[in-house]
C-alpha cells in the first residue's frame, strides 16, 4: 500500500477532495533486490483529475493493466498515470558506495514486470 497525506482538504497548494491518498496494490517488487520496488504514487496534485475523490482510494496498478489476450502491459500516459517511482533521489541510486547490483544503470536498462 502506498499512502500519502497532505495538510488537509483546505491545503492551498492543492485543493483535493480528500487529503489522504491510498493506492493498493501500488508496489511492483524488485526481484533482483537492487533498487527496491517500483511504486505507483499517482499525480503530485489530484485536484480536478479522476484521482480526486472523496474516498482515499482511487486507482491501483490493476486499473492500468492492458491485455490483448497474448500480452499484458501497464499503461502510462503522464497525466492519469504518471509512472512508477523507485526513488525521489536519483543521485543516491547512482552512488558508488552502493553495491554494483544496487546502482541505477547509466547506459542501458531493461525492465521486465510481472504484475
Amino acid at each position: 500500500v502506498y499512502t500519502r497525506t497532505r495538510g488537509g482538504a483546505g491545503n492551498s497548494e492543492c485543493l483535493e477532495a480528500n487529503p489522504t491518498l491510498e493506492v493498493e496494490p501500488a508496489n511492483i517488487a524488485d526481484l533482483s533486490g537492487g533498487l527496491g520496488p517500483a511504486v505507483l504514487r499517482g499525480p503530485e496534485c489530484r485536484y480536478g483529475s479522476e484521482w480526486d475523490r472523496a474516498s482515499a482510494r482511487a486507482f491501483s496498478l490493476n486499473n492500468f493493466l492492458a491485455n490483448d489476450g497474448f500480452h499484458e502491459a501497464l499503461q502510462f500516459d503522464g497525466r492519469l498515470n504518471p509512472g512508477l517511482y523507485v526513488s525521489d533521489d536519483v543521485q543516491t541510486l547512482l552512488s558508488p558506495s552502493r553495491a554494483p547490483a544496487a546502482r541505477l544503470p547509466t547506459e542501458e536498462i531493461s525492465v521486465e514486470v510481472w504484475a
Side-chain angles (χ1 to χ4, degrees):
V1 176
Y2 170 77
T3 303
R4 174 183 76 211
T5 302
R6 294 194 185 278
N11 186 326
S12 63
E13 294 176 21
C14 182
L15 302 174
E16 297 172 335
N18 188 325
T20 301
L21 171 66
E22 293 179 1
V23 181
E24 184 181 17
N27 295 353
I28 297 176
D30 173 8
L31 299 179
S32 72
L35 299 176
V39 182
L40 175 66
R41 302 188 316 193
E44 194 63 33
C45 178
R46 297 176 290 154
Y47 178 74
S49 77
E50 293 86 349
W51 285 83
D52 194 19
R53 300 181 178 186
S55 167
R57 296 230 172 144
F59 292 104
S60 75
L61 284 171
N62 297 332
N63 296 107
F64 300 104
L65 283 173
N67 183 320
D68 68 358
F70 299 100
H71 304 95
E72 213 165 56
L74 283 172
Q75 299 178 29
F76 303 97
D77 65 1
R79 179 170 158 70
L80 184 59
N81 182 358
L84 302 174
Y85 295 80
V86 292
S87 176
D88 287 321
D89 181 7
V90 172
Q91 292 304 315
T92 299
L93 298 177
L94 296 170
S95 173
S97 65
R98 293 175 67 100
R103 275 186 235 145
L104 184 67
T106 57
E107 293 181 20
E108 297 178 358
I109 187 169
S110 174
V111 178
E112 183 175 341
V113 175
W114 296 86

